[in-house]
Amino acid sequence: MNDVQDATSPGAALGGPVACVSKVELRVACKALLDRDTLNKSDPCVILMVQNQGQWTELDRTEVIKSNLHPVFAKVFTLDYYFEEVQKLRFEVYDIHGTHSIGARDDDFLGGVECTLGQIVAQKKMVKPLFLKYAKYAGKSAITDLFSKSDPFLEIYRINDDGSEQLVHRTEVIKNNLNPVWEPFKVSLISLCSCDEDRKLKCLVWDSDSRGKHDFIGEFYATFREMQKIGGGSKVTWDCMNPKYKLKKKNYKNSGVVILSDLKVRANIYSSCSVAIDFTASNGDPRNSCSLHYINPYQPNEYLKALIAVGEICQDYDSDKRFSALGFGARIPPNYEVSHDFAINFNPEDDECEEIQGVVEAYQNCLPKIQLYGPTNVSPIISRIAKLSAGEETIKDASRYHILLILTDGVVTDMADTREAIVRASYQPLSIIIVGVGNADFTDMQILDGDDGVLRSPKGEPVLRDIVQFVPFRDFKTASPAALAKCVLAEVPNQVVEYYSHKAICPMPPVPSCDSPTSLANTPTESLPAVGTTA
């Protein structure tokens, strides 16, 4: 199980360019692990591995939790997250039997699971079964036993809507100390309280035991709203209460006081994907093997290659995995009039397809039913998606951001109208990716990209921001699909930040549910330094 938040700070975006990378935090927990020990329960530890050039290497690992088949690990894995790349991860769980390296003969492999970082970011919370099919991985392990009379540590749990509790943070253990001052730590507002300032937080103070049988010192409940009362030299305090002592001891006051000595606050953007495909006659008769639209049973054509390469990345960030699939430049049934904006599933009331595979199937089914014609006019579709995006402006928090992928075999015919449409669209939460298919001269298409100068409308009005990325597919014919996706999507995170920064719109906190939209960039983050207690 993984909880994730994006720790990118939008504040940097206001002062200058932001790298197309976000810091993502992963938290892991296990349930019902195998018990491989004869006398005690397993002592689990999770290692995180990443795939690089086909090889798995260890990135980091959690602490070891003694005698626990349902561990909730405090360790936070921090990864660089690239929206445009497929980043494969593997989580492996071991029962540790000593201070030697994980993977040694005495350690038991309890299972592993593979996924991509994009899948985790998309789902926010992922639960997967462990499989016993991976080989053990050798690495270094540092495990220590702690023996002391009073070694306090603090745990903070978020109480979810269903009453369940999610560990947010576990401090380090302070040995032999009844007045510990724990190290400052950072936690996202999403992780802390799901961006609900009044959500209850359950905080527990324990006396650490090396065998995992920690002694309960006391507990208290807090909210983020209460924490924000700190300031002006004042501190926020809570009585740490032990319910058992409160019942038994007549004059019981508390088991100590927990003090919040400092708090610093710092600041999801979501995606909806649309695809527009060129069905003009210049592509060639789809029944001819020389056509760019020819369906080869043995390998995909260039349209499909580009569609799948970019679409498979985008669908990880689309909450419902549905793509608006459109076509232009063809005569369509029933009257076979030319259309520059039609649903390729021929359902104008619902032009969306299930996942990228649904778009592929709709594309293949569409070809025999239409007549390729012309001209190559893309402004109608750009204007349509921009109008759809404009509906988000009425919302004062960052909501759904749109990505339009246009696949075309030549220079657009309506260049003046297209420039005008792009200038208008630059004011909306929209990015446009254009992939040139075939061997046409795409020189004029570079004008739309804006990399060599500011794109202007025919009347001279400049775009508010650069929202177009153009790439000729032929430049990536011998490269991997991931290389194309990385190139065309690399600018999207910056474009997202630029739009909402220009509008001075605060990022919208996502609602934690399976239906919540997927984050592209900039999740609120919190800093909760220097929490201390007297026990």
Side-chain angles (χ1 to χ4, degrees):
M1 179 174 65
N2 302 289
D3 270 353
V4 60
Q5 71 262 354
D6 178 345
T8 305
S9 172
L14 300 176
V18 180
C20 298
V21 58
S22 298
K23 293 290 185 183
V24 173
E25 297 178 354
L26 304 181
R27 302 169 188 272
V28 296
C30 304
K31 289 186 177 180
L33 291 175
L34 294 174
D35 191 357
R36 293 291 182 83
D37 286 353
T38 304
L39 300 178
N40 300 307
K41 296 178 181 179
S42 296
D43 303 332
C45 173
V46 176
I47 67 171
L48 171 60
M49 306 175 72
V50 295
Q51 191 179 78
N52 185 20
Q53 298 181 342
Q55 300 295 317
W56 290 102
T57 57
E58 180 183 341
L59 178 68
D60 206 346
R61 66 183 61 183
T62 68
E63 73 278 17
V64 177
I65 297 183
K66 295 284 188 177
S67 301
N68 198 324
L69 301 183
H70 312 283
V72 178
F73 297 96
K75 170 69 178 181
V76 177
F77 295 121
T78 303
L79 291 79
D80 286 336
Y81 162 58
Y82 298 88
F83 164 70
E84 69 278 7
E85 295 185 16
V86 176
Q87 296 170 266
K88 294 184 178 181
L89 306 179
R90 177 188 291 177
F91 297 86
E92 295 189 350
V93 186
Y94 289 88
D95 176 16
I96 307 303
H97 290 289
T99 57
H100 45 69
S101 298
I102 289 180
R105 185 164 52 187
D106 290 339
D107 292 334
D108 295 315
F109 178 63
L110 302 181
V113 62
E114 293 182 10
C115 61
T116 68
L117 183 55
Q119 290 170 341
I120 298 176
V121 171
Q123 296 184 34
K124 298 293 183 187
K125 187 174 184 178
M126 176 181 285
V127 179
K128 280 183 170 287
L130 295 174
F131 295 98
L132 294 170
K133 64 179 182 179
Y134 305 117
K136 286 187 177 181
Y137 176 79
K140 295 182 178 179
S141 175
I143 307 172
T144 59
D145 287 331
L146 306 175
F147 297 98
S148 64
K149 293 182 179 179
S150 183
D151 305 328
F153 67 93
L154 171 69
E155 292 181 327
I156 301 175
Y157 288 83
R158 180 185 70 234
I159 300 180
N160 299 318
D161 292 337
D162 60 2
S164 62
E165 299 174 359
Q166 173 65 51
L167 177 65
V168 174
H169 182 75
R170 181 184 292 129
T171 70
E172 74 281 10
V173 175
I174 305 291
K175 291 187 177 183
N176 296 314
N177 199 323
L178 296 181
N179 297 282
V181 178
W182 291 295
E183 288 294 321
F185 61 89
K186 294 181 181 180
V187 61
S188 75
L189 189 57
I190 293 175
S191 178
L192 180 68
C193 60
S194 302
C195 295
D196 178 359
E197 296 185 356
D198 296 312
R199 183 178 295 275
K200 281 191 175 182
L201 306 174
K202 185 177 181 179
C203 306
L204 307 175
V205 182
W206 300 88
D207 179 10
S208 176
D209 182 273
S210 61
R211 297 165 296 176
K213 298 179 180 179
H214 309 304
D215 295 322
F216 178 63
I217 294 177
E219 66 183 15
F220 64 95
Y221 291 85
T223 66
F224 180 61
R225 188 179 300 279
E226 293 173 357
M227 294 178 181
Q228 295 179 86
K229 293 178 181 178
I230 193 171
S234 64
K235 299 178 180 180
V236 182
T237 63
W238 296 272
D239 287 332
C240 187
M241 307 297 293
N242 189 315
K244 184 173 70 173
Y245 293 163
K246 188 175 181 180
L247 288 174
K248 289 184 176 181
K249 298 182 179 181
K250 185 177 180 180
N251 297 321
Y252 177 78
K253 184 179 180 181
N254 59 47
S255 294
V257 176
V258 176
I259 304 166
L260 176 63
S261 60
D262 195 11
L263 173 69
K264 295 178 181 177
V265 182
R266 302 184 179 184
N268 242 330
I269 314 294
Y270 317 122
S271 70
S272 178
C273 303
S274 301
V275 177
I277 301 174
D278 182 345
F279 289 108
T280 55
S282 56
N283 285 280
D285 188 339
R287 296 169 294 183
N288 190 314
S289 61
C290 295
S291 170
L292 292 171
H293 281 306
Y294 177 68
I295 303 300
N296 187 325
Y298 302 105
Q299 65 175 11
N301 60 36
E302 289 190 12
Y303 276 95
L304 286 175
K305 287 179 180 177
L307 174 63
I308 293 170
V310 179
E312 285 189 340
I313 295 289
C314 289
Q315 76 178 5
D316 271 347
Y317 309 97
D318 194 304
S319 59
D320 57 8
K321 312 297 182 188
R322 291 173 62 85
F323 288 74
S324 176
L326 309 170
F328 60 92
R331 286 175 166 173
I332 64 173
N335 299 322
Y336 286 93
E337 296 177 345
V338 176
S339 174
H340 297 293
D341 177 8
F342 65 91
I344 65 174
N345 64 1
F346 302 109
N347 183 357
E349 302 301 321
D350 183 8
D351 56 28
E352 294 188 329
C353 301
E354 292 286 346
E355 301 190 346
I356 199 63
Q357 185 56 37
V359 180
V360 171
E361 293 171 2
Y363 164 74
Q364 294 173 330
N365 294 333
C366 169
L367 282 171
K369 301 175 183 178
I370 62 174
Q371 294 176 1
L372 273 59
Y373 204 71
T376 309
N377 292 350
V378 299
S379 61
I381 284 181
I382 293 176
S383 298
R384 170 181 173 170
I385 301 301
K387 184 177 180 180
L388 179 65
S389 305
E392 308 296 347
E393 281 204 308
T394 59
I395 302 174
K396 296 308 178 183
D397 288 317
S399 185
R400 188 175 291 271
Y401 192 88
H402 295 254
I403 298 175
L404 171 60
L405 170 63
I406 300 176
L407 306 176
T408 181
D409 80 319
V411 176
V412 299
T413 308
D414 61 339
M415 182 61 78
D417 290 343
T418 297
R419 287 163 52 199
E420 180 71 30
I422 291 174
V423 170
R424 302 276 74 80
S426 69
Y427 288 82
Q428 310 304 334
L430 172 66
S431 289
I432 302 172
I433 298 166
I434 305 176
V435 178
V437 177
N439 297 314
D441 182 359
F442 292 114
T443 303
D444 290 345
M445 296 293 282
Q446 301 291 347
I447 298 173
L448 303 179
D449 195 303
D451 287 346
D452 298 326
V454 177
L455 176 69
R456 296 179 180 273
S457 72
K459 296 179 181 179
E461 181 184 354
V463 291
L464 175 67
R465 57 194 180 90
D466 180 15
I467 64 169
V468 178
Q469 174 75 353
F470 173 78
V471 174
F473 182 80
R474 58 174 174 255
D475 292 352
F476 294 87
K477 270 190 173 182
T478 59
S480 68
L484 171 65
K486 180 177 181 179
C487 178
V488 299
L489 293 171
E491 295 183 8
V492 172
N494 272 350
Q495 292 169 358
V496 171
V497 173
E498 286 172 1
Y499 172 77
Y500 287 109
S501 296
H502 173 79
K503 293 290 185 179
I505 297 176
C506 296
M508 187 180 87
V511 179
S513 73
C514 18
D515 295 326
S516 71
T518 303
S519 169
L520 283 179
N522 302 327
T523 298
T525 54
E526 293 300 314
S527 179
L528 269 175
V531 182
T533 182
T534 302

